Amino acid sequence: MVSSSHEAMHRIFQEDPGVFARTFRTLGLPFPEPVAVSLMPTDLTEIQPLERRVDTLLRIDAAEGDSYLLAVEAQGKKDRGKPGSWAYYVAHLYAKYRLPPLLLVTCQDRATAEWAAETVAIGPTTWPTLSLRPLVLGPHNVPVFTDADAAARDIPLATLSAITHGKDPNAGAILKALAAALQTVDDDTAMIFAELTELGLGSAPAAQIWRDLMSVDLSFFRSETSERLRSEGRAEGRAEGRAEDILRILSKRGVAVSEQVRERVVSCGDLDVLSDWLDRSLTAEVAEDLFAATEA
């Protein structure tokens, strides 16, 4: 069963896909600077009765012209069956998109993070066929934000930090810094990341600290009408972003896009349809191929 903290960890990457690049820079990891980040469909199911979904899937286009896939998984505890699923994700993504995949696992406790970071050899011990090596973010390497000004400079990363360090003895100071930082941004942004923090903390003792802070500082975000309007606005924004991703992929692949095709893509508000078109944009020979199954 998917927990609220599990949901929050990967939703941060969906709300702000660029947070991964800033995290990698903070940790000094050797990944190139991205010029474009595209949210990809997360359904990895083939024509089989077993459904498989990765939490978040991003396509990263680097400044040097190289591209790769970033699959984000949130892991709350050790699970002996998970490396097999991760190996499936990685192999399937490479076979489907022909792009090198990178598996990023986010954890909220050090023991799970250390377990997830272990290299897993799959195959006979005398000749392993596949080696799985996830990149892991957890309390052991995600920076701590206890200064409100520093948190305000990168609220998505500060939110990821607050969730990751939710069991830290210093969690109160971390959450106070984030609460103060949220007062420096617009209401919509503050509401999104305040709720993600609450979800991410789950049942940890720090969750009550956060609820107490929010009852004083951000109670005005909670009306039913404002929640509905913001939800509608986020859905519209996701549709616009997905349409831009489709057109960007076609452009980078050298596929000509007529004004009629462009208008049809940008005017579509159905996220499921746009997801199908996004898949087809990766292999379409002409732009009109996007709509083949839609019109059948």
Side-chain angles (χ1 to χ4, degrees):
M1 181 177 179
V2 177
S3 68
S4 59
S5 58
H6 176 283
E7 173 74 11
M9 293 288 272
H10 70 83
R11 273 185 56 196
I12 291 174
F13 287 85
Q14 294 176 350
E15 292 290 347
D16 181 9
V19 70
F20 92 94
R22 300 193 298 277
T23 306
F24 288 179
R25 283 200 301 271
T26 301
L27 299 178
L29 294 171
F31 291 94
E33 185 71 20
V35 293
V37 180
S38 308
L39 191 62
M40 304 285 283
T42 59
D43 191 347
L44 306 185
T45 308
E46 291 295 324
I47 305 176
Q48 300 286 342
L50 180 63
E51 180 182 359
R52 294 184 185 271
R53 289 180 182 270
V54 68
D55 289 340
T56 296
L57 181 61
L58 306 172
R59 173 181 171 138
I60 312 300
D61 296 315
E64 292 79 2
D66 297 327
S67 299
Y68 62 95
L69 299 175
L70 179 71
V72 183
E73 280 281 289
Q75 191 65 27
K77 61 182 179 180
K78 297 178 183 180
D79 181 348
R80 292 179 58 187
K82 205 63 179 180
S85 296
W86 291 340
Y88 172 88
Y89 298 159
V90 170
H92 178 83
L93 289 170
Y94 182 71
K96 182 173 183 178
Y97 294 109
R98 294 298 176 186
L99 290 172
L102 171 65
L103 175 63
L104 174 65
V105 181
T106 59
C107 303
Q108 289 181 282
D109 66 272
R110 180 180 291 271
T112 302
E114 291 175 349
W115 163 81
E118 294 175 357
T119 299
V120 178
I122 299 174
T125 55
T126 54
W127 196 279
T129 304
L130 180 66
S131 180
L132 181 71
R133 187 189 178 202
L135 176 62
V136 178
L137 296 181
H140 64 298
N141 61 359
V142 172
V144 171
F145 288 81
T146 55
D147 178 76
D149 291 337
R153 287 193 289 271
D154 195 337
I155 283 177
L157 182 55
T159 302
L160 178 64
S161 174
I163 295 173
T164 302
H165 294 279
K167 300 176 183 179
D168 191 292
N170 201 32
I174 298 170
L175 294 175
K176 287 178 182 177
L178 178 59
L182 291 180
Q183 295 179 12
T184 68
V185 297
D186 63 275
D187 290 359
D188 283 348
T189 300
M191 184 271 295
I192 289 170
F193 288 101
E195 292 186 349
L196 285 178
T197 303
E198 183 174 342
L199 283 172
L201 292 172
S203 59
Q208 187 57 53
I209 297 175
W210 185 248
R211 283 191 288 270
D212 291 342
L213 289 168
M214 293 302 96
S215 67
V216 175
D217 295 332
L218 296 174
S219 59
F220 56 91
F221 293 143
R222 302 291 182 177
S223 76
E224 182 177 346
T225 301
S226 64
E227 292 283 353
R228 176 178 57 79
L229 292 174
R230 289 176 180 122
S231 176
E232 292 171 357
R234 290 197 297 273
E236 181 179 347
R238 287 195 295 271
E240 292 175 355
R242 196 156 299 176
E244 292 174 0
D245 291 341
I246 292 168
L247 297 175
R248 181 187 293 272
I249 290 171
L250 291 175
S251 174
K252 290 183 73 68
R253 294 184 57 237
V255 178
V257 178
S258 67
E259 190 58 37
Q260 291 84 351
V261 169
R262 181 179 300 275
E263 176 60 28
R264 182 169 178 180
V265 171
V266 299
S267 63
C268 180
D270 189 318
L271 285 170
D272 291 334
V273 171
L274 287 167
S275 292
D276 289 339
W277 292 352
L278 182 64
D279 273 346
R280 296 191 198 110
S281 70
L282 296 167
T283 56
E285 295 183 2
V286 295
E288 286 73 15
D289 288 348
L290 294 177
F291 317 126
T294 308
E295 297 170 344

